[in-house]
């Protein structure tokens, strides 16, 4: 993946492939649900605000699970928790297509959110361990796999949207997701988590272990989580509302509306595949500042464009800008405080992704969907400003 030609332990290579597969299937399953939201909305007869409240089920389920996942990983290990949560996520994606009211939809999404939250915290913790063992900045490659899976899932969903009901589509998605988890899970469970350098490893002789997140380190982890949340807000908003924006605001066809998230996910994939190269040349702070600024400009174009094609271009620019901010922030938190730092920053960060769609729903009812989506630009600019403001502290983990 362009991250060096050094000889790598075959066991670490297999772990990297297995983790990459988990991230990819995660994106595939999540995107498959995303592109069927318009159909589920019509099926339930929910208003924009009612749909936003139903989507809060994903948020609540995920955030509650995230707060417990760090402890579960410490007790059971990152790899078993990753496999278990991923199986829950894949199996539960079939449920929303059988809801006929916003209340029932919200209840079903609690389970889906629990799988999503647990899977992402556990998988990111496992990835931080592997990155430390490899000694190379490959964290963006795992998130590139998530984006690639999202692109494929959204593209496939758009292709079948006109001919296959949401119930059949999401059931097939659940079956394929579970099968993929079982195959990759065998490889993941066959190898123990690697032991890389980090604040939670065994201390040197005569030295006391450093707390995982205390004092200034704890505050830096929280700030990094806020940066991640500001950009994840945009990712969640586009996942749940891009198709509706193109469909209802710009009157695109159902298939073309699904292209909004597809091109966004493609841009995220391209940006993350080039993430290691970008970080080596710009450094982490400048990469985050530039990314937030580019994403803000792109989202203003996407939300205020008068027609479909400029909006699609805006989604592309937004995806390129947001691509590496989240993985860089999570990686820095892991460098500061190990897996506990990853869990803490991920909880805050994914909270932004999951609460964003809810906020967009209410803003859309109060103003308009196009106006609501400009909040993504605002928070992207805020992420750039925060990253610039903490540039001195960020150097400690670069």
């Amino acid at each position: 993946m362009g991250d060096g030609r050094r000889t790598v332990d075959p066991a670490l290579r297999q772990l990297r492939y297995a983790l990459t597969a988990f991230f990819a299937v995660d994106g595939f399953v999540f995107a498959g649900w995303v592109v069927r939201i318009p159909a589920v909305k019509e099926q339930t007869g929910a208003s924009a605000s009612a749909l936003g409240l139903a989507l809060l089920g994903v948020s609540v389920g995920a955030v509650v699970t995230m707060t417990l996942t760090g402890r579960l990983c410490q007790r059971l290990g990152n790899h078993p928790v990753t496999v278990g949560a991923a199986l829950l996520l894949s199996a539960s994606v079939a449920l929303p297509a059988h809801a006929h009211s916003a209340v029932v939809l919200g209840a079903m999404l609690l389970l889906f959110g629990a799988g999503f939250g647990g899977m992402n915290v556990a998988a990111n913790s496992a990835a931080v361990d592997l990155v430390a063992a490899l000694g190379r900045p490959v964290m963006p490659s795992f998130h590139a796999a998530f984006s690639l899976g999202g692109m494929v899932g959204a593209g496939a969903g758009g292709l079948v949207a006109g001919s296959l009901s949401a119930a059949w589509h999401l059931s097939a998605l659940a079956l394929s997701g579970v099968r993929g988890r079982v195959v990759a899970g065998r490889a993941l469970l066959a190898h123990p988590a690697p032991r890389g350098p980090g604040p939670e490893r065994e201390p040197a002789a005569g030295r006391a272990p450093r707390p995982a997140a205390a004092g200034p380190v704890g505050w830096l982890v929280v700030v990094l989580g806020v940066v991640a949340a500001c950009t994840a807000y945009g990712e969640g908003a586009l996942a749940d509302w891009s198709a509706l924006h193109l469909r209802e605001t710009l009157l695109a066809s159902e298939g073309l509306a699904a292209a909004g998230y597809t091109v966004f996910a493609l841009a995220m994939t391209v940006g993350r595949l080039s993430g290691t190269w970008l970080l080596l040349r710009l450094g982490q702070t400048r990469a985050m500042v530039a990314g937030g600024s580019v994403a803000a400009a792109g989202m203003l174009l996407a939300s205020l464009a008068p027609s479909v094609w400029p909006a699609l271009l805006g989604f592309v620019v937004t995806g390129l800008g947001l691509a590496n901010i989240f993985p860089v922030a999570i990686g820095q938190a892991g460098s500061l405080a190990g897996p506990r730092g990853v869990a803490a920053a991920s909880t805050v960060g994914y909270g932004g992704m999951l609460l964003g769609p809810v906020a967009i729903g209410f803003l859309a009812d109060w103003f308009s969907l196009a106006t609501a989506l400009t909040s993504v630009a605002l928070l992207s600019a805020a992420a750039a400003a925060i990253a610039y403001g903490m540039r001195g502290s960020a150097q400690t983990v670069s």
Side-chain angles (χ1 to χ4, degrees), residues 38-149:
V40 173
K41 178 178 182 290
E42 183 178 352
Q43 174 181 298
T44 60
S47 65
S49 58
L51 178 63
L53 284 174
L55 293 174
L56 186 61
V58 181
S59 306
V60 173
V63 170
V64 169
T65 305
M66 285 174 178
T67 61
L68 302 175
T69 300
R71 293 181 181 180
L72 283 175
C73 287
Q74 285 185 318
R75 177 168 297 186
L76 304 176
N78 295 332
H79 294 178
V81 176
T82 298
V83 174
L87 286 171
L88 175 61
L89 172 69
S90 296
S92 61
V93 75
L95 297 178
H98 301 284
H100 293 282
S101 71
V103 173
V104 174
L105 176 62
M108 291 177 170
L109 290 178
L110 280 170
L111 196 60
F112 182 71
F116 182 80
M119 157 66 194
N120 281 283
V121 171
N124 273 299
S125 297
V128 166
D129 283 346
L130 184 55
V131 168
L134 290 170
R136 289 175 286 173
V138 299
M139 191 71 166
S141 70
F142 295 114
H143 291 260
F146 176 86
S147 297
L148 180 60

Side-chain angles (χ1 to χ4, degrees), residues 243-285:
L244 285 170
H245 174 57
L246 294 174
R247 178 79 169 143
E248 297 182 358
T249 307
L250 301 178
L251 305 180
S253 65
E254 189 171 358
L256 186 56
Y261 186 69
T262 304
V263 299
F264 172 75
L266 175 60
M268 292 278 284
T269 303
V270 172
R272 286 173 171 172
L273 286 174
S274 60
T276 300
W277 175 89
L278 184 68
L279 293 176
L280 289 173
R281 281 152 182 79
L282 292 182
Q284 297 188 45
T285 299

Side-chain angles (χ1 to χ4, degrees), residues 25-35 58 89 93 112 116 146 150 173 181 235-236 239-240 261 353-354:
V25 176
D26 189 26
F28 180 79
V29 170
F30 187 75
W33 148 247
V34 162
V35 299
V58 181
L89 172 69
V93 75
F112 182 71
F116 182 80
F146 176 86
L173 187 65
R181 306 299 196 182
E235 193 170 348
D240 286 357
Y261 186 69
M353 174 182 286
L354 298 167

Side-chain angles (χ1 to χ4, degrees), residues 283-299:
Q284 297 188 45
T285 299
R286 284 192 290 177
M288 287 195 290
V289 172
S293 302
V294 169
M299 200 58 218

